[in-house]
Amino acid sequence: MTCPDWNQRSLYYDGELTDQTVSAHIEGCLACRSELRKLEEMEACLTSPLSGRTTKKSRAAWKLVAAAAILVGGLGLALRPTTSQPNVTRMATRDGTVYTVSTTGQARLLSLEVNGNLARPEEN
Amino acid sequence: MESVAQSLENLYYEHRENLLGFCFRLMGDHQAAEDVTQEVFAAACERGDVEAGWLFTCARSRCIDRLRRRSVWQRVRLAIQTPEASRGFEDRVAARDLGWTVLRKLSVKMRSLLLLRAYAGLSYEELAELFETTPSAIGVMLSRARKKALKEMEKQG
């Protein structure tokens, strides 16, 4: 049997090849296996970590993302014209910082807390 | 039971680097990749319960939007530049990344298809839905993209 084309090799690589004869050929053929190794190496290169990245930076960034998202979420709740019961959204991060946003049903922010401390006092 | 906030944070630590790599290798721009990664996680926080696949498909559409908005000149420059001729720090960083060096020769569609499969492991059915085609057409597109990427990689030595 002649070696299968790229389409079949690619399907085999993804576990999508249904033709058992071709699969058996690929498994027993040195040339096909060598092509598949190249494919593996290429995909590993496409998903390799970018150089010069640190997880420390990520942790700081997560706090920013979480804080930004909760503020946006909090404003979204504040702008929702529903009940006058306060809505509370809370998000905890791994280092123990807890962001809490409280709003009323009306269009205003009631309070924003960081670690339980009021960042903006309630206005009456 | 794990809270939504905790599960989002875990998702962030688990996938941030991958998402950054995905965005960078789709756009070839570190700053834009950082921005999209942040935007995607912020969107995930607003949405609540999301899975890893969602992060990558959301990133893909945001990256494609940015690529479309790029000026014509920028697109021309990216298309014609060689590693030696690249200008500026960002360009030099991009030129050193083998993944981007290989992928920049592919169309955005092929690039995003290869990256979604490689990073997010989306199935042919999921990819077919996203690319508005059939699973068998995805198989053909993937094999063409891989063949071309391999050829480019061999050129790089």
Side-chain angles (χ1 to χ4, degrees):
Chain A
M1 183 185 174
T2 53
C3 288
D5 60 18
W6 251 107
N7 190 28
Q8 286 173 310
R9 275 196 209 123
S10 177
L11 288 171
Y12 176 86
Y13 182 77
D14 287 332
E16 298 278 344
L17 186 64
T18 49
D19 190 329
Q20 294 301 314
T21 319
V22 179
S23 293
H25 169 91
I26 291 173
E27 278 151 29
C29 172
L30 277 178
C32 286
R33 297 209 64 78
S34 156
E35 289 299 315
L36 285 173
R37 259 198 306 279
K38 283 186 202 165
L39 188 53
E40 270 173 12
E41 283 167 18
M42 189 268 290
E43 297 233 332
C45 160
L46 299 190
T47 53
S48 63
L50 297 177
S51 55
R53 301 279 146 196
T54 63
T55 50
K56 199 177 172 187
K57 197 175 171 189
S58 307
R59 285 175 197 282
W62 167 249
K63 280 196 271 184
L64 283 175
V65 169
I70 203 160
L71 278 174
V72 171
L75 287 174
L77 284 174
L79 293 169
R80 204 171 54 186
T82 52
T83 157
S84 60
Q85 287 294 313
N87 294 310
V88 179
T89 310
R90 184 186 290 256
M91 183 174 284
T93 62
R94 187 168 282 170
D95 69 352
T97 312
V98 178
Y99 297 91
T100 311
V101 170
S102 310
T103 63
T104 61
Q106 282 91 47
R108 68 191 176 91
L109 185 68
L110 261 185
S111 66
L112 170 65
E113 294 171 23
V114 179
N115 281 340
N117 299 315
L118 218 52
R120 173 183 158 163
E122 185 179 341
E123 293 164 10
N124 289 311
Chain B
M1 200 179 123
E2 194 180 50
S3 69
V4 173
Q6 189 62 53
S7 106
L8 277 171
E9 192 185 347
N10 291 341
L11 208 63
Y12 180 83
Y13 289 123
E14 197 178 333
H15 295 288
R16 184 186 181 273
E17 296 300 308
N18 273 343
L19 201 61
L20 195 61
F22 175 89
C23 295
F24 172 71
R25 285 169 183 143
L26 193 45
M27 298 188 289
D29 181 331
H30 267 291
Q31 189 53 56
E34 290 270 7
D35 291 349
V36 172
T37 303
Q38 294 281 71
E39 285 169 20
V40 169
F41 279 108
C45 288
E46 281 180 59
R47 199 181 155 98
D49 199 13
V50 299
E51 290 178 354
W54 181 88
L55 297 175
F56 289 94
T57 51
C58 177
R60 169 191 168 259
S61 63
R62 283 169 188 260
C63 289
I64 289 175
D65 280 349
R66 278 180 181 249
L67 287 171
R68 282 193 188 130
R69 286 201 301 267
R70 267 185 186 170
S71 69
V72 174
W73 165 242
Q74 240 181 326
R75 272 186 275 164
V76 169
R77 191 166 64 81
L78 278 171
I80 60 174
Q81 78 183 13
T82 60
E84 296 75 35
S86 63
R87 282 172 281 180
F89 174 73
E90 276 294 328
D91 289 345
R92 285 198 299 278
V93 170
R96 276 204 300 270
D97 185 79
L98 186 56
W100 168 246
T101 311
V102 167
L103 287 172
R104 66 199 262 282
K105 300 285 183 179
L106 275 66
S107 69
V108 173
K109 190 177 181 183
M110 282 204 166
R111 226 186 281 161
S112 63
L113 179 65
L114 261 189
L115 288 171
L116 278 174
R117 178 72 196 175
Y119 274 95
L122 295 190
S123 69
Y124 280 24
E125 284 74 19
E126 287 167 323
L127 290 168
E129 199 177 321
L130 205 61
F131 285 79
E132 296 176 344
T133 186
T134 60
S136 57
I138 288 293
V140 174
M141 281 160 66
L142 266 174
S143 81
R144 284 184 189 155
R146 282 168 172 159
K147 196 175 171 183
K148 183 152 192 203
L150 267 175
K151 201 183 268 181
E152 289 301 329
M153 195 144 174
E154 277 167 12
K155 276 190 207 166
Q156 301 299 321

